[in-house]
Amino acid sequence: MAAVAVHKGRADCAEALRVFRTYYRPRTPKQGSAGVATVAGWECASNSAAESMRTGRLSSCRKDGTTVVADVIP
């Protein structure tokens, strides 16, 4: 489970949730070890397991100067 939030800029909560739900679907094509994918114009990537444990950040998506993040819920 993760907490989704707007880290920088402005985004609608419903859009941020929709982007992450689509990004995390197994059928969404991802590239490389960071799982880079474009979802509805958002560029998304995930941290490594070690980086996620260190920072609490699972993934982030960026579009037009806005960043939305998915963080570990402690």
Side-chain angles (χ1 to χ4, degrees), residues 1-4 52 56-58 70-74:
M1 188 178 268
V4 173
S52 292
R57 175 117 329 129
L58 296 170
D71 291 341
V72 174
I73 296 175

Side-chain angles (χ1 to χ4, degrees), residues 2-73:
V4 173
V6 177
H7 180 70
K8 178 183 172 189
R10 301 185 126 228
D12 180 270
C13 288
E15 181 178 15
L17 288 171
R18 196 169 33 255
V19 167
F20 278 111
R21 284 185 184 128
T22 301
Y23 175 68
Y24 284 121
R25 285 185 187 142
R27 69 178 181 259
T28 297
K30 298 172 187 74
Q31 297 180 1
S33 60
V36 176
T38 301
V39 176
W42 291 83
E43 293 295 323
C44 301
S46 292
N47 285 329
S48 67
E51 185 69 7
S52 292
M53 288 181 67
R54 188 180 72 75
T55 65
R57 175 117 329 129
L58 296 170
S59 305
S60 60
C61 297
R62 293 174 177 81
K63 179 181 177 182
D64 299 332
T66 297
T67 302
V68 293
V69 297
D71 291 341
V72 174
I73 296 175

